Amino acid sequence: MVHVAWNAAQSQYFIAANGVKQGGVLSLILYLLYTDGLLVKLSTCGVGCYFGSFFVCAPVYADDLVLLAPTPSAMRHSLAICYEYAEEYRVLNLIRKSQSG
């Protein structure tokens, strides 16, 4: 629950919808804080790809995240982790932007 304070006035408490304004000064920092827990869960589950001895499971660039998995079942496991995280933190995923390659 949050409220807005402006000078001496305060709004009633309300539920804030998830989301970060694009282009806002704090947007990147808030996005990283919000997704850090997901990245920790993905990196500790052990599902991903190895490049030599270097483990990669979910490279992130700006606000794009890519899941890497060596098999379809490994990808399903990673997607299940993402789904559980989204359910727990009420994250809206833009399915229309997702694709397999």
Side-chain angles (χ1 to χ4, degrees):
M1 300 289 286
V2 297
H3 72 274
V4 177
W6 183 265
N7 292 325
Q10 291 187 356
S11 72
Q12 294 181 346
Y13 280 87
F14 60 93
I15 296 173
N18 293 339
V20 175
K21 177 184 173 190
Q22 281 202 291
V25 175
L26 292 176
S27 296
L28 178 60
I29 294 167
L30 294 173
Y31 173 79
L32 292 174
L33 288 172
Y34 205 63
T35 58
D36 184 61
L38 173 61
L39 296 173
V40 168
K41 286 183 179 199
L42 288 169
S43 66
T44 58
C45 79
V47 174
C49 296
Y50 285 88
F51 297 95
S53 62
F54 191 69
F55 176 74
V56 179
C57 63
V60 178
Y61 180 77
D63 65 346
D64 293 320
L65 184 145
V66 177
L67 293 177
L68 298 178
T71 65
S73 63
M75 179 59 76
R76 284 190 291 276
H77 182 70
S78 294
L79 287 169
I81 291 170
C82 293
Y83 179 79
E84 289 168 7
Y85 187 85
E87 286 286 309
E88 182 178 354
Y89 293 100
R90 298 178 61 186
V91 177
L92 173 65
N93 293 302
L94 298 176
I95 302 300
R96 69 180 183 277
K97 290 178 65 177
S98 299
Q99 57 182 304
S100 61

